[in-house]
Amino acid sequence: MLRQMLANLQEVVLGTKLAVLFPAIPLAVVADFYNFGRPWIFALSLLGLAPLAERVSFLTEQIAYFTGPTVGGLLNATCGNATELIIALFALHQNKIHVVKYSLLGSILSNLLLVLGTSLLCGGLANIRKEQRYDRKQADVNSLLLLLGLLCHLLPLMLKYAGGIGNSTALYTLQLSRASSIIMLIAYITYIFFQLKTHRELFDSQEEEEEEEEETAVIGFWSAFAWLVGMTIIIAVLSEYVVGTIEAASDSWGISVSFISIILLPIVGNAAEHAGSIIFAFKNKLDISLGVALGSATQISMFVVPLSVIVAWIMGIRMDLDFSLLETGCLAFSIIVTAFTLQDGTSHYMKGVVLFLCYLVIGACFFVDSIPLIDETTGNLGVKKSSGALTA
């Protein structure tokens, strides 16, 4: 039993290159216990979340070997973005609706532009003498779902500007957002059924290539389940630290909350997906890279975002799908650029360059952003704190 425990420890904790970041977890707990500077707690918690997010994905894959493809697919759909979901739930609990919206929006942008862009860039440079091809069918399905999600974000925004600012318009926007969230969840459940049951052949090539990489589980079912529960609890603890100290870090570093939430948090949360997607692109397996990047973006847009709205509804919190004009505009252009990039079924490094540069421009925009923000708790106008910007 001791030998098995040590073997599991080696596979789970030391089986990733991100293991060097695991010491940040106890350091974050110690920093909170001894009331160190809140920016330090935020930074250490952020670093500790990176290996945990990667290991949760690894453990769900291990459990999928024992549960079969259907249950395993549902488990991956639920736990694939566990870090983002847990951060969103803690932010909702603390009534920080803007942090929820920023972090989820950032996850979508990160997957579409940063993860996919660097994958196409690195894959194109590594296979510069070859024409890289991928199956357009699964990319088309994900693009359609992302466009549906975009429509559900645009309608509350347009309704707000069409009806003017007022209590009645805010109520209608909230009601429309809740109805749209239910529709988005129905669409995502249909997508899961489509992917796992009726049209599995569209995703068979991706599964076959993944089986070439790893054919059997390396740890047992109950061991993987126990590790998954334990790491989820640790993620919850660190997520609470992150949500509770994000404003202090923003004040101390002179960086806006929007930049931290939209750029920094998703980079940490998507670190594992980012690395895996680039590795598959290097091996000229673009179908898997697209499945990782587009699948994660679709999951956030069509599952995590509407689920957050429904959970907020249950908690009595008025969260809608209006992500403000600037944020929704960035989301719209990102989805449209990505859809145009993937329309012909071939890839080269120039496509990756364009997507990556789009991400840099959006990052620069939110770095200097100081647009007035309505405080959800008081209703008073404040200012998003940004580098070199006055605060109010």
Side-chain angles (χ1 to χ4, degrees):
M1 183 180 297
L2 179 60
R3 188 181 301 113
Q4 184 178 4
M5 290 178 59
L6 292 175
N8 289 343
L9 182 66
Q10 182 177 2
E11 288 290 344
V12 176
V13 177
L14 302 179
T16 172
K17 294 181 179 178
L18 294 175
V20 294
L21 297 179
F22 274 119
I25 298 173
L27 289 176
V29 176
V30 171
D32 179 70
F33 183 79
Y34 287 102
N35 296 319
F36 285 1
R38 295 174 71 80
W40 281 102
I41 299 174
F42 177 83
L44 292 170
S45 300
L46 205 60
L47 291 176
L49 284 173
L52 289 173
E54 193 274 339
R55 290 290 86 183
V56 166
S57 298
F58 165 77
L59 291 169
T60 53
E61 291 173 3
Q62 296 300 306
I63 294 176
Y65 285 112
F66 299 96
T67 59
T70 302
V71 178
L74 292 174
L75 186 64
N76 278 317
T78 306
C79 300
N81 288 287
T83 304
E84 290 88 345
L85 180 59
I86 293 173
I87 289 176
L89 293 178
F90 273 105
L92 279 177
H93 180 68
Q94 299 183 25
N95 205 28
K96 296 181 179 180
I97 301 176
H98 60 289
V99 174
V100 179
K101 292 182 177 181
Y102 288 155
S103 62
L104 297 181
L105 170 68
S107 293
I108 300 172
L109 298 180
S110 174
N111 279 291
L112 291 180
L113 300 179
L114 180 63
V115 177
L116 183 59
T118 52
S119 297
L120 296 182
L121 171 60
C122 296
L125 293 176
N127 301 274
I128 199 166
R129 302 291 182 184
K130 304 176 185 177
E131 183 180 37
Q132 290 192 290
R133 291 188 169 272
Y134 52 86
D135 187 1
R136 281 182 52 194
K137 296 175 184 176
Q138 57 172 309
D140 288 343
V141 173
N142 283 290
S143 297
L144 286 172
L145 286 171
L146 288 170
L147 288 171
L148 173 60
L150 175 61
L151 176 65
C152 293
H153 286 290
L154 282 173
L155 290 178
L157 178 66
M158 292 188 292
L159 179 63
K160 182 181 73 172
Y161 281 99
I165 298 177
N167 291 331
S168 59
T169 303
L171 178 61
Y172 296 148
T173 300
L174 181 63
Q175 293 174 342
L176 175 61
S177 298
R178 289 170 174 173
S180 300
S181 297
I182 295 174
I183 293 173
M184 293 166 75
L185 288 175
I186 293 173
Y188 186 74
I189 293 172
T190 306
Y191 166 68
I192 294 296
F193 184 76
F194 175 87
Q195 180 181 7
L196 299 178
K197 284 292 185 182
T198 61
H199 287 70
R200 284 196 62 188
E201 66 275 5
L202 296 182
F203 305 89
D204 279 344
S205 60
Q206 177 180 332
E207 292 177 357
E208 290 171 1
E209 290 179 3
E210 288 177 338
E211 288 173 0
E212 293 175 5
E213 298 296 321
E214 186 175 11
E215 296 181 354
T216 59
V218 296
I219 61 175
F221 173 81
W222 289 111
S223 297
F225 182 78
W227 277 103
L228 181 62
V229 172
M231 289 198 170
T232 303
I233 294 173
I234 299 174
I235 288 176
V237 173
L238 295 184
S239 298
E240 186 175 12
Y241 291 165
V242 166
V243 173
T245 58
I246 187 169
E247 285 91 354
S250 173
D251 291 337
S252 177
W253 299 342
I255 302 175
S256 65
V257 172
S258 60
F259 180 81
I260 293 176
S261 302
I262 294 176
I263 304 299
L264 296 185
L265 283 181
I267 288 178
V268 173
N270 296 327
E273 295 165 343
H274 198 171
S277 181
I278 291 177
I279 291 172
F280 285 121
F282 266 114
K283 297 178 179 179
N284 201 18
K285 297 180 178 180
L286 283 186
D287 283 325
I288 301 180
S289 294
L290 292 178
V292 170
L294 290 180
S296 182
T298 302
Q299 188 180 93
I300 292 290
S301 177
M302 301 300 293
F303 176 68
V304 181
V305 171
L307 182 63
S308 299
V309 174
I310 299 300
V311 171
W313 186 8
I314 296 172
M315 297 170 62
I317 298 174
R318 299 166 63 92
M319 175 180 175
D320 56 29
L321 292 175
D322 176 15
F323 278 29
S324 300
L325 183 61
L326 176 62
E327 289 80 359
T328 305
C330 291
L331 176 64
F333 279 108
S334 299
I335 293 174
I336 293 171
V337 169
T338 302
F340 272 105
T341 301
L342 303 176
Q343 65 180 342
D344 63 349
T346 62
S347 176
H348 45 74
Y349 71 88
M350 191 60 201
K351 290 184 176 182
V353 170
V354 171
L355 292 179
F356 181 69
L357 292 180
C358 287
Y359 188 75
L360 291 183
V361 171
I362 291 175
C365 173
F366 286 109
F367 185 78
V368 301
D369 178 24
S370 58
I371 295 176
L373 172 71
I374 294 179
D375 190 336
E376 288 82 0
T377 56
T378 64
N380 296 325
L381 278 175
V383 175
K384 302 177 191 175
K385 299 176 178 61
S386 62
S387 179
L390 294 176
T391 59

